[in-house]
Amino acid sequence: GQQLNQSPQSMFIQEGEDVSMNCTSSSIFNTWLWYKQEPGEGPVLLIALYKAGELTSNGRLTAQFGITRKDSFLNISASIPSDVGIYFCAGRAAGGGADGLTFGKGTHLIIQP
Amino acid sequence: NAGVTQTPKFQVLKTGQSMTLQCAQDMNHNSMYWYRQDPGMGLRLIYYSASEGTTDKGEVPNGYNVSRLNKREFSLRLESAAPSQTSVYFCASSEIWRGIGEKLFFGSGTQLSVL
């Protein structure tokens, strides 16, 4: 099946810093979704991307669908304490069936006081 | 709008016991899914249902059965629970948003421990 690599695995940052994380796949994707998960809760959809080169924002979050269609990036500007959580990418390979998405293993975002 | 609702939130079972995890969505989505989430393994698909009346195996279906009761409800059954099934389970449903692309929405999860 498809391989989806998400990095970094964890990030320790200061409040106010910008954050950047990415996902890369071994095959071409036609959908990229970014999620945030907080302890004891399910993943919440942040941003959805459907076209190569697409750049979409949701408040302080911005995500991009890579030109090669094999990667996607999520940036968080001016981080605040409530940004703490695990961020997941998910994607669907071009020509993929109805069997769901491929998920990255997540980036743990930790904000140091 | 409740979205995807799962019950129970927590469950402890003894090895060999059976139970059913319930899931319902109120968004009129055709596709529904069951995932399990384990540390270091990410989210793995157990079963999915592309439409009412159909179900298919995902990546890790062994030890589970599902029922798509109607368009709203998709249940997951463990017939004889094993410690390896200790995990957090998520139900999800998806739509094709505005004819453009897929969006997947998750429930809040069921934390299952099998002793």
Side-chain angles (χ1 to χ4, degrees), chain A residues 23 28-29 32 34 49 51-55 63-73:
Chain A
C23 280
I28 291 174
F29 276 27
W32 284 101
W34 283 93
L49 303 162
K51 292 172 57 177
E54 182 179 358
L55 187 71
Q64 184 165 22
F65 195 135
I67 293 293
T68 65
R69 298 178 65 191
K70 291 185 176 183
D71 55 9
S72 181
F73 306 87

Side-chain angles (χ1 to χ4, degrees), chain A residues 21-70:
Chain A
M21 61 191 78
N22 70 86
C23 280
T24 58
S25 66
S26 57
S27 53
I28 291 174
F29 276 27
N30 60 18
T31 298
W32 284 101
L33 305 175
W34 283 93
Y35 291 86
K36 179 188 179 185
Q37 186 177 21
E38 298 184 13
E41 298 296 328
V44 174
L45 182 62
L46 300 172
I47 294 177
L49 303 162
Y50 304 114
K51 292 172 57 177
E54 182 179 358
L55 187 71
T56 299
S57 293
N58 178 2
R60 294 177 295 103
L61 278 63
T62 301
Q64 184 165 22
F65 195 135
I67 293 293
T68 65
R69 298 178 65 191
K70 291 185 176 183

Side-chain angles (χ1 to χ4, degrees), chain A residues 33 35 37 40-43 45 48 50 88 92 98-101 103 105, chain B residues 9 33 35 37 40 43 45 48 90 97 100-104 106-108:
Chain A
L33 305 175
Y35 291 86
Q37 186 177 21
E41 298 296 328
L45 182 62
Y50 304 114
F88 291 99
R92 181 180 293 283
D99 58 344
L101 300 161
F103 288 86
K105 293 186 178 180
Chain B
K9 182 71 173 174
Y33 309 84
Y35 290 90
Q37 185 178 43
L43 284 155
L45 183 65
Y48 67 100
F90 290 102
W97 179 70
I100 297 172
E102 179 180 12
K103 287 189 175 182
L104 184 72
F106 287 89
S108 59

